[in-house]
Amino acid sequence: MDLAPLSPNEPPPPHTPRRGRMRLALGVLALALGFGVLEAMQGRARYQSVPWELFWPEAMIRTLPSWVMLAVLLPVVLWVSERVRIARSTWPLALPLHTAAGVAFVFVHIGLSCALGTVLRHSPEHSLEQAFRSMFAGYAVVGFFTYACLVAAHHAFRAQAEAYEREAASRELQAGLTRAQLQALRSQLDPHFLFNALNSISVMALQGERETVVRLIAGLGDVLRMSLDGDGAPEVPLRAELELLERYLELERVRFGDRLTVERHIEPGLGDALVPSLVLQPLVENAIRHGIAPRRGPGRVLVQVRRAGTQLQLEVRDDGIGFSPERSREGIGLANTRERLRQLYGAAQSMVLGRAPEGGAAVTVSIPHHTLPAGPAANAADRS
């Protein structure tokens, strides 16, 4: 069967696991050869009188077979170490098994190394039995220690990998819990806002304000559409939050008419700053409901957003009656806003309730200033 060549635009085939294992095996073998050469160079200090042309062949034959066979046996050692784990509950059985495996490793490693060295020498003077006895006498303890070090290193790397996996799973679980909590808080805000809007519409309907009721219903539809169009993300660009707030204020202007004035002071260049979704609407609603509505005359609400160093400050002030003892108790809007800020930013946020210079109430929210990273995700957010 003929295989069509790849076109220049086609990506190369992905690396198969077999190719990855082959590269790893070649890397281990190359490392073993390197250690063999280093050991041979170290022996040169003891045989300086031997000519180079005579020293190097013998030195390489003495050192390389042991390192090469160690690289060959390494996968077997790791396989045994993976299946015979030394833990608090398994060590009474694992230690004897590893002791037996270590002894077997010494015999097999020495036997294979001597066999390879005998083949490389091509000399009948050096028998395999003699080479085995000589290497066993000088290498048995070192070989067993080598096996123990390999098992210990494998256990250490395995424990580190498992600890990292547990930490990653814990972070993912915490992130999932945070998302669930944020979604629960958001789900409380939506019906709270809808209830207040429907209550206003019912009041206008009882007063016979048909045109006002129609405008309120249309405005409520716009607000709900904008709210439901989102994907439930905990943060949105400031410009999107301000647009949603403007739709909400259209509803309130229908209710209050000339009694309500809303001013917006937004520092230029902050449209891309990320803020919690539905963060301004509950604050403005609280200012209108508790600061402006109880008054007989007109009232003013100020929405101000500015950057202070690394923080983004969102402030909502009114010139109403201020924080009375009844108003000091946080309702659903303020309480949920405070909790969402804590979930999103931890100790890097604050929400302060105080008195405005105009005599009314002021709520100031401070969060870390950050934006969407540049790239496809940011472009997609701009298009939406």
Side-chain angles (χ1 to χ4, degrees):
M1 180 177 62
D2 296 333
L3 298 178
L6 290 174
S7 65
N9 296 328
E10 289 183 358
H15 296 294
T16 62
R18 180 178 299 179
R19 184 177 300 179
R21 288 194 295 267
M22 180 62 68
R23 289 184 176 181
L24 179 61
L26 292 176
V28 172
L29 182 60
L31 186 64
L33 292 175
F35 279 117
V37 173
L38 289 176
E39 185 179 357
M41 293 176 63
Q42 183 181 7
R44 176 61 181 169
R46 288 181 289 177
Y47 302 98
Q48 293 183 358
S49 60
V50 180
W52 282 94
E53 61 273 10
L54 299 178
F55 168 78
W56 274 111
E58 180 64 21
M60 300 299 286
I61 291 175
R62 287 179 177 272
T63 59
L64 286 184
S66 176
W67 286 101
V68 170
M69 289 307 161
L70 179 61
V72 172
L73 293 176
L74 179 61
V76 180
V77 175
L78 297 181
W79 183 86
V80 173
S81 178
E82 179 68 26
R83 280 150 183 80
V84 184
R85 305 290 298 276
I86 302 176
R88 181 176 301 179
S89 59
T90 62
W91 71 265
L93 178 62
L95 286 182
L97 290 176
H98 276 297
T99 301
V103 172
F105 168 82
V106 170
F107 278 91
V108 173
H109 182 223
I110 293 177
L112 292 178
S113 300
C114 293
L116 180 59
T118 302
V119 171
L120 293 177
R121 281 189 176 92
H122 297 288
S123 174
E125 300 177 357
H126 297 85
S127 66
L128 179 59
E129 181 179 357
Q130 292 175 343
F132 183 88
R133 290 177 180 273
S134 175
M135 189 173 181
F136 186 84
Y139 179 78
V141 175
V142 176
F144 188 86
F145 181 73
T146 300
Y147 174 85
C149 289
L150 291 175
V151 172
H154 174 262
H155 276 63
F157 282 114
R158 183 68 177 176
Q160 183 180 13
E162 290 176 350
Y164 177 80
E165 292 174 359
R166 287 194 299 268
E167 182 181 356
S170 177
R171 288 197 301 265
E172 181 63 26
L173 177 61
Q174 184 62 37
L177 291 175
T178 300
R179 288 193 295 268
Q181 291 171 344
L182 290 172
Q183 188 61 31
L185 293 171
R186 171 66 183 268
S187 65
Q188 290 179 3
L189 279 178
D190 288 341
H192 174 70
F193 161 73
L194 182 60
F195 170 80
N196 289 336
L198 292 176
N199 184 57
S200 300
I201 293 174
S202 64
V203 171
M204 293 297 167
L206 291 175
Q207 294 177 356
E209 301 286 344
R210 294 184 177 180
E211 295 183 0
T212 303
V213 168
V214 172
R215 292 170 59 188
L216 284 173
I217 293 177
L220 178 60
D222 291 339
V223 173
L224 292 177
R225 177 183 55 78
M226 293 183 63
S227 178
L228 295 176
D229 279 347
D231 57 357
E235 292 182 312
V236 296
L238 177 62
R239 63 166 60 91
E241 184 69 11
L242 292 174
E243 185 177 357
L244 179 62
L245 176 63
E246 183 60 30
R247 295 294 183 271
Y248 165 75
L249 289 174
E250 290 177 359
L251 298 177
E252 298 295 358
R253 291 191 186 98
V254 173
R255 283 182 56 201
F256 290 93
D258 296 337
R259 287 184 55 204
L260 176 63
T261 301
V262 179
E263 298 181 6
R264 300 198 310 179
H265 295 170
I266 312 299
E267 184 177 315
L270 296 179
D272 292 330
L274 293 179
V275 298
S277 60
L278 281 180
V279 65
L280 289 175
Q281 184 272 328
L283 303 182
V284 173
E285 179 183 354
N286 192 69
I288 295 174
R289 182 178 181 184
H290 298 286
I292 307 301
R295 297 180 52 175
R296 292 177 178 265
R300 183 177 70 95
V301 175
L302 171 65
V303 178
Q304 184 171 263
V305 181
R306 61 181 179 272
R307 184 175 180 180
T310 60
Q311 295 292 105
L312 185 71
Q313 292 185 348
L314 301 92
E315 185 178 21
V316 176
R317 303 201 311 245
D318 63 74
D319 60 355
I321 62 176
F323 281 108
S324 61
E326 295 80 9
R327 189 181 177 186
S328 62
R329 183 176 60 86
E330 295 183 359
I332 293 179
L334 290 179
N336 280 9
T337 299
R338 186 182 296 277
E339 179 63 19
R340 287 199 300 150
L341 292 173
R342 187 186 68 82
Q343 292 283 348
L344 282 171
Y345 311 111
Q349 54 77 33
S350 64
M351 188 176 81
V352 179
L353 280 62
R355 189 169 184 83
E358 300 86 352
V363 180
T364 303
V365 171
S366 179
I367 61 175
H369 175 268
H370 59 296
T371 60
L372 280 174
N379 297 333
D382 293 338
R383 288 194 297 270
S384 61

